[in-house]
Amino acid sequence: MQNSKRLILVYCLKIFDIAIMLMAMTASFILVEIPRSGIVWPHDLWQIKLKLINVLLLVLLVGIWHLVFLSMGLYDSRRIDRGKGEYHDVFKAVVMGSMLLLVVGVLFRRNHINRDVVLYFATLTFSLTCIGRFCLRMVLGWVRRHNRNLRRLLLVGSNRRGMAFARRVKAKSQLGYRVVGYIDDEFPPYHEGYQTLTIPLPYLGSLEEFDEVLSREQIDEVVIALPIRSFYEPMKRIIESCECQGIQVHLLSDFFQLHIARARSAEFDGIPLLTLSTHNLPIWPGYMKRAFDVIVASIAIVLLSPVLVLVALLIKLLSPGPVFFVQDRVGYNRRPFRMIKFRSMVPNAHLMQKELEELNEAQGPVFKIKNDPRITPFGRLLRKTSLDELPQLFNVLRGDMSLVGPRPLPLRDVEQFEENYLNRRFSVKPGITCLWQVNGRTATRASFDAWIEQDLEYIDHWSFALDLKILARTIPAVLKGTDAH
């Protein structure tokens, strides 16, 4: 009965998606092509003759659209993950389908399928599809809260992880799961996780009785919360039994007590993987960040080119030596790169650093002197205004750096790192500006721990909005020049 209802719902959803696609396509032609053709809606619209080739192409597009949505898993059950990532998958499906629509228009020389039509079509389809699926999820949530459209869930394992999962399932009644009970080799009242439940679960039997429980309780899905190391064989037998009977199995993947890293599932050439990563930069936002870096850096270089030329001339006129200071810095994933700055010190200043080590005012492995004798008079002005950092825009274009990110450190500083957690700052690209610069700039440099803390805070809470906020705060911080040198 559950499967038949599920199939009906899937078929209705497929019809809905195709209907949205056809409506969006019709609306796109009305918005773009009909005004250009001088047709007055709605009287003249009915006078348009449908050609056989157009009808065949429409059938082809409907089939392609359906296959694209199917390939993105948009008709799979997403009940247990509350539809997480569904809108992202809808976006990818719409983009792919729209590109295929444009390709079909070019191949079959359909001039009415142009860029404007595809843009309108993609926007309308994505918006209407998301609205429809949101409404559907709300309706299903209401139905499930009233004890309809429920799926019976069996928990395997009564440890703390398993019972915490059962407690969350009970709290999310809109998901439509009913935990019918659990099986384990240890009797519930004495187990560590049993007391964490507000409403105790029925004990249905031991692990050896799994098949009997399945046939007796009419289970739809199974969740395994057993420790892998000590229960590998029982888990293997349970998974094989579910596979034979066509029952969906969920394996709790929080095997380790992670504090920062997050787990996500992936697949490589048909091999399932569980990825543990502290990196908080998803694929599409990462592409958006890179595109933003390239566009802004390019525009900045063009607009600031007179300033770049003027600063270069003044450096050459006011002090002997090269215009640029190029140094090896540690970048993304500890890969070294050549960072470019306007030279603000005397030539060969790096050779004088060993003699000045005892004057270092910074805590930790970094080297900073407020009144560094190696800085030229014009170089002091460059540092106060941060003009010496402008050539790093070329590093951004090359992909070695980003506009926003932890500042790149010299090899000398990184070699003195003693704690492993400090290396996490290299899990993202270094940047021209970051939190520690807008929160006091050099005043923060005196405390290496505070500096690193803000770098890690940026990595753990990254968002595109945070980058924009930091860039907006960088401009007044530079103009103010507080504590800069």
Side-chain angles (χ1 to χ4, degrees):
M1 188 65 178
Q2 285 282 353
N3 289 336
S4 61
K5 290 182 177 179
R6 165 69 186 162
L7 287 174
I8 293 173
L9 180 62
V10 169
Y11 283 131
C12 290
L13 191 57
K14 289 180 179 181
I15 294 172
F16 172 80
D17 287 337
I18 292 174
I20 289 294
M21 176 259 200
L22 295 174
M23 289 171 55
M25 185 174 293
T26 304
S28 301
F29 287 135
I30 292 174
L31 292 171
V32 177
E33 287 301 317
I34 292 182
R36 291 180 182 178
S37 304
I39 298 175
V40 180
W41 172 262
H43 178 267
D44 292 339
L45 183 63
W46 300 105
Q47 308 302 318
I48 300 176
K49 296 181 179 180
L50 292 178
K51 297 181 180 180
L52 179 62
I53 182 64
N54 291 337
V55 175
L56 293 177
L57 284 178
L58 183 60
V59 174
L60 174 64
L61 288 173
V62 168
I64 291 175
W65 193 260
H66 173 68
L67 291 177
V68 169
F69 270 58
L70 195 65
S71 66
M72 289 295 175
L74 289 170
Y75 302 117
D76 297 339
S77 176
R78 297 178 180 235
R79 184 188 299 214
I80 202 163
D81 64 354
R82 293 180 290 171
K84 186 178 181 181
E86 183 175 23
Y87 300 125
H88 181 253
D89 290 338
V90 169
F91 176 78
K92 291 191 294 184
V94 168
V95 170
M96 188 182 301
S98 300
M99 292 301 100
L100 290 172
L101 172 64
L102 195 59
V103 169
V104 168
V106 173
L107 290 178
F108 290 90
R109 298 180 180 180
R110 302 292 96 182
N111 296 329
H112 54 278
I113 303 179
N114 53 44
R115 183 188 60 186
D116 293 338
V117 168
V118 172
L119 183 61
Y120 275 115
F121 172 74
T123 304
L124 289 172
T125 307
F126 175 71
S127 302
L128 295 175
T129 302
C130 288
I131 292 172
R133 288 180 178 253
F134 174 79
C135 294
L136 175 63
R137 196 164 292 281
M138 293 298 102
V139 171
L140 289 176
W142 181 85
V143 170
R144 291 161 183 166
R145 277 192 291 267
H146 289 77
N147 296 321
R148 303 292 300 273
N149 190 233
L150 300 179
R151 292 184 69 80
R152 296 169 63 84
L153 195 69
L154 173 65
L155 181 65
V156 180
S158 60
N159 54 27
R160 195 176 301 277
R161 291 166 55 237
M163 290 303 174
F165 177 82
R167 185 173 64 251
R168 292 194 177 189
V169 170
K170 283 179 174 290
K172 302 290 183 180
S173 59
Q174 71 273 19
L175 298 181
Y177 280 104
R178 175 179 292 170
V179 183
V180 297
Y182 75 98
I183 63 171
D184 205 338
D185 284 341
E186 189 171 4
F187 191 65
Y190 306 104
H191 203 284
E192 59 170 349
Y194 188 75
Q195 299 300 327
T196 63
L197 276 178
T198 306
I199 305 174
L201 290 176
Y203 176 69
L204 303 179
S206 65
L207 299 179
E208 293 294 329
E209 299 172 311
F210 176 73
D211 289 331
E212 299 175 18
V213 173
L214 280 188
S215 59
R216 185 177 70 239
E217 298 293 338
Q218 298 179 349
I219 302 300
D220 295 311
E221 299 180 27
V222 173
V223 174
I224 301 178
L226 296 172
I228 289 183
R229 182 176 180 181
S230 53
F231 286 89
Y232 175 78
E233 288 300 328
M235 288 174 62
K236 179 182 178 183
R237 184 178 58 81
I238 289 172
I239 292 173
E240 289 175 349
S241 180
C242 290
E243 187 178 22
C244 291
Q245 301 181 56
I247 295 176
Q248 193 173 37
V249 182
H250 306 284
L251 182 65
L252 295 187
S253 60
D254 55 337
F255 311 119
F256 313 103
Q257 296 298 318
L258 303 177
H259 299 288
I260 301 172
R262 294 292 179 266
R264 59 181 174 86
S265 59
E267 185 177 294
F268 173 74
D269 199 22
I271 302 174
L273 300 174
L274 181 66
T275 303
L276 308 177
S277 175
T278 60
H279 202 287
N280 193 31
L281 193 57
I283 295 178
W284 285 102
Y287 288 152
M288 194 165 72
K289 178 180 173 70
R290 177 61 185 152
F292 180 78
D293 285 343
V294 171
I295 293 171
V296 174
S298 301
I299 295 173
I301 289 173
V302 172
L303 295 179
L304 296 174
S305 55
V307 178
L308 294 171
V309 173
L310 178 61
V311 171
L313 289 174
L314 290 175
I315 292 174
K316 200 65 178 176
L317 292 173
L318 296 177
S319 64
V323 171
F324 297 105
F325 171 70
V326 182
Q327 185 184 45
D328 286 335
R329 296 288 177 104
V330 180
Y332 177 61
N333 280 348
R334 296 179 63 89
R335 287 172 172 77
F337 71 97
R338 305 282 283 174
M339 191 192 75
I340 311 171
K341 296 179 66 174
F342 278 129
R343 181 176 60 83
S344 59
M345 292 186 174
V346 298
N348 300 321
H350 61 286
L351 301 178
M352 303 167 56
Q353 183 169 329
K354 290 184 178 180
E355 303 174 4
L356 301 173
E357 286 285 355
E358 59 183 16
L359 301 177
N360 186 15
E361 300 173 2
Q363 301 175 6
V366 293
F367 180 84
K368 297 293 177 184
I369 302 176
K370 187 173 183 180
N371 296 310
D372 197 321
R374 300 172 296 170
I375 302 178
T376 64
F378 184 60
R380 203 170 297 280
L381 175 64
L382 291 178
R383 291 197 169 198
K384 186 175 181 62
T385 56
S386 294
L387 290 174
D388 60 321
E389 311 282 0
L390 290 182
Q392 290 168 38
L393 291 170
F394 293 99
N395 284 118
V396 173
L397 287 182
R398 290 184 56 183
D400 296 325
M401 296 177 63
S402 176
L403 292 174
V404 183
R407 288 294 295 157
L409 294 177
L411 299 178
R412 174 260 179 206
D413 296 354
V414 177
E415 288 172 355
Q416 297 188 37
F417 280 10
E418 295 180 355
E419 294 85 1
N420 287 332
Y421 82 94
L422 298 176
N423 293 315
R424 191 153 62 86
R425 73 190 307 276
F426 304 121
S427 62
V428 298
K429 284 185 181 181
I432 297 178
T433 183
C434 199
L435 278 176
W436 70 274
Q437 283 195 306
V438 299
N439 290 338
R441 304 184 71 198
T442 13
T444 315
R445 299 181 193 179
S447 173
F448 179 72
D449 290 339
W451 178 2
I452 291 296
E453 182 181 347
Q454 291 184 71
D455 282 345
L456 299 184
E457 179 185 349
Y458 169 78
I459 294 171
D460 294 338
H461 300 92
W462 180 87
S463 67
F464 193 68
L466 179 60
D467 274 7
L468 296 178
K469 181 179 179 181
I470 291 173
L471 287 172
R473 292 178 59 190
T474 298
I475 297 174
V478 169
L479 294 176
K480 189 176 180 181
T482 306
D483 294 317
H485 67 280

